[in-house]
Amino acid sequence: MRPKELRIVVTFETTTAAMAFEAAARRQKVAGRLIPIPREITAECGLSFSAPPGERETVKSLADKMDCQEIYELII
């Protein structure tokens, strides 16, 4: 089992929105990836984007421009 760590988690209403966010994040060189929704939160689709805390500002900037549901900071 890998150790738990603080992550920025972005949720989406649709799988399409999650995939579009991941593509935009890759273009901006954001260190992160799509993951299943953590049990601690829920969202419409089953995917979320997880990134390290150091990417907070870039992730927030992207989320402001795209179709995102919520941004969380979780230890997962």
Side-chain angles (χ1 to χ4, degrees), residues 4-47:
K4 294 185 183 271
E5 59 185 7
L6 182 65
R7 303 289 292 181
I8 305 299
V9 177
V10 183
T11 60
F12 309 91
E13 291 186 8
T14 66
T15 300
T16 303
M19 294 174 75
F21 188 90
E22 180 186 41
R26 284 187 180 176
R27 285 192 299 275
Q28 298 239 348
K29 307 281 192 252
V30 174
R33 64 187 179 96
L34 289 179
I35 63 168
I37 294 281
R39 280 181 246 147
E40 296 85 0
I41 56 178
T42 60
E44 297 297 319
C45 86
L47 295 174

